Amino acid sequence: MIIAWKGGAVDDQLIDYITSELRDVGENSDGVLDYRVGSDLGVRFDHGDYAVTAIFENQASFDAYVANSRHIEIVEEYLLPNVERHMTALFEI
C-alpha cells in the first residue's frame, strides 16, 4: 500500500508510532512471511509518503491480518484520519 498523508497532519512522532504498531502486528501475525513499513526516501519527484508491503503465506493469512483487532484499531484511529489518498495492489507470487 502506498499512502499520501494529509498536508501537515502527520509529524515524525506519529509516523514512528504508526510504524512501530504496524510492525508489531505484521511481525506477530501467523502466516506473514515478510512485512515492511516505512517512509518514502524522497528521491523521486512523483511518490507517496509512506508504504506498507507484506507477503502472506496464503489468502487465509491475509484475511486474518486484515481482521486483526489491533490492525483495525490502527487503521481507524491513526491512518484514516491522516491519509489523503492511498493505493493498494494485491497479487500472487
Side-chain angles (χ1 to χ4, degrees):
M1 175 171 51
I2 308 263
I3 292 172
W5 300 119
K6 289 180 181 173
V10 180
D11 60 23
D12 289 342
Q13 184 177 1
L14 181 56
I15 291 171
D16 289 347
Y17 179 76
I18 291 168
T19 299
S20 175
E21 293 299 305
L22 286 174
R23 277 191 184 135
D24 185 58
V25 172
E27 293 171 357
N28 292 295
S29 295
D30 291 335
V32 177
L33 304 177
D34 189 53
Y35 192 87
R36 299 175 193 229
V37 296
S39 294
D40 182 74
L41 297 175
V43 297
R44 302 275 304 187
F45 65 91
D46 187 19
H47 57 84
D49 299 315
Y50 192 83
V52 179
T53 182
I55 298 174
F56 297 91
E57 185 174 355
N58 52 38
Q59 182 69 45
S61 299
F62 171 75
D63 293 342
Y65 166 80
V66 171
N68 177 293
S69 61
R70 182 63 185 137
H71 177 262
I72 292 169
E73 183 180 333
I74 296 164
V75 169
E76 290 178 352
E77 290 186 27
Y78 301 102
L79 294 179
L80 291 178
N82 295 302
V83 171
E84 182 176 315
R85 66 184 189 284
H86 75 281
M87 295 175 56
T88 62
L90 305 174
F91 61 94
E92 291 187 27
I93 55 173

